[in-house]
Amino acid sequence: MMLHIVKKSPYESSALNNAINYIRQGDIMLLTEDGVYAAKKGGKFSNLINEVLQKNHVYCLLADAKARGILESEVIENVKLLDYKGFVEKVVEHNPMTWA
Amino acid sequence: MKFGVLIKEGQYTHQAMDSAYNFIVAAMELGHEIKGVFFYNEGVCNTCGTMEPPRDERNIRNLLLGLDEKGIRLIACVAAGKRRGLVAQTVSSAAEISGLGQLLELCIESDRLITF
Amino acid sequence: MEEKEKTSVMFICRTAPYGTIFEQEAIEAMIMFGAYEQDINVTFIDDGVFSLKKGQDTALLGKKNFSLTYPILIDDFDISHIYVEKESLEERGLSENDLITEVEIIDRNALRQKMNEMKAFLPF
């Protein structure tokens, strides 16, 4: 099973779209760096994230969201915030592919 | 678990080195082993030994020295480095210069290869 | 000596040529990896498929034409597979006839399965 890491903003990169194209059942997605902007409620990509959430777990790196002023209350429901140790644990469980 | 780390982005235009550093520290705290960090593409610039950032700014050169002290192998790609002016005289004492074969070795020896 | 199982690695090339160095340095890695008798796979998706387009002429640019390398990669280096994603080609108005060399055209669904068999990914 794979961990799809999205680290560029969906507003400037096809990283999120690619991750979505290749995500399979049992795979998970992690939004990091500028990728965390995809986790913001009410943004253009929130519907897409909600679609992914129907079948897969989606995580967002806490440090990157906080740094960018994205508060926990502004993160799309069911997107779980992870600290770096949580990130490591997901990589232990899943094979990572980074979409930049 | 054994992790290999690949860093492909430079130290000032991108966040990759910071993300990788935080990941490595967390992985070690959890008792995992870092088999090595390979620097490729603009990522090789992270291993420059002569960087002098302002004192109140995070210092990649010191971060690398810290990783070296923890016994982590830091490998700058020779071809990517040469192209960008990185040679034995300019590379950080924390890093070694070696070939792309080392990246494949990391793929083979690690349980996971993670790219930043 | 017992024969060790090969490690499956996949290059995922998703950037167009010349605008960045990614294609050039990905090729350098492919050539090197080809020498180690492992299972090396190369996949072109997204803008990466432009790297395989016929008719590239870099003379005016003053750079090497990297598209000439792929046929050699297949013939002279031990790369297991070169895949190009069908959907990425179609989105960009390209078909098999537009490509410089014979590569395996694969649809997204099949590629997803292949990805699941890999041990490590190298994104470019």
Side-chain angles (χ1 to χ4, degrees), chain C residues 61-121:
Chain C
L61 205 60
K63 274 189 176 182
K64 251 190 236 170
N65 180 349
F66 299 109
S67 70
L68 302 175
T69 317
Y70 296 110
I72 312 169
L73 259 188
I74 297 174
D75 296 338
D76 300 347
F77 293 89
D78 194 17
I79 300 290
S80 308
H81 296 279
I82 298 190
Y83 301 111
V84 184
E85 191 198 58
K86 187 166 159 279
E87 286 83 347
S88 296
L89 284 175
E90 285 171 1
E91 279 171 13
R92 288 161 181 79
L94 297 173
S95 68
E96 200 168 352
N97 298 330
D98 296 306
L99 305 183
I100 40 146
T101 183
E102 262 184 51
V103 285
E104 298 170 57
I105 299 193
I106 187 170
D107 67 34
R108 192 163 286 167
N109 203 32
L111 180 54
R112 253 185 237 127
Q113 310 284 338
K114 293 263 177 240
M115 285 170 72
N116 207 40
E117 296 161 13
M118 296 296 135
K119 185 183 177 202
F121 297 99

Side-chain angles (χ1 to χ4, degrees), chain B residues 104 107-109, chain C residues 5-9 38-40 119-120:
Chain B
L104 184 58
C107 296
I108 296 169
E109 290 172 6
Chain C
E5 211 178 301
K6 288 183 178 180
T7 295
S8 296
V9 175
Q38 301 295 321
D39 174 33
I40 308 300
K119 185 183 177 202

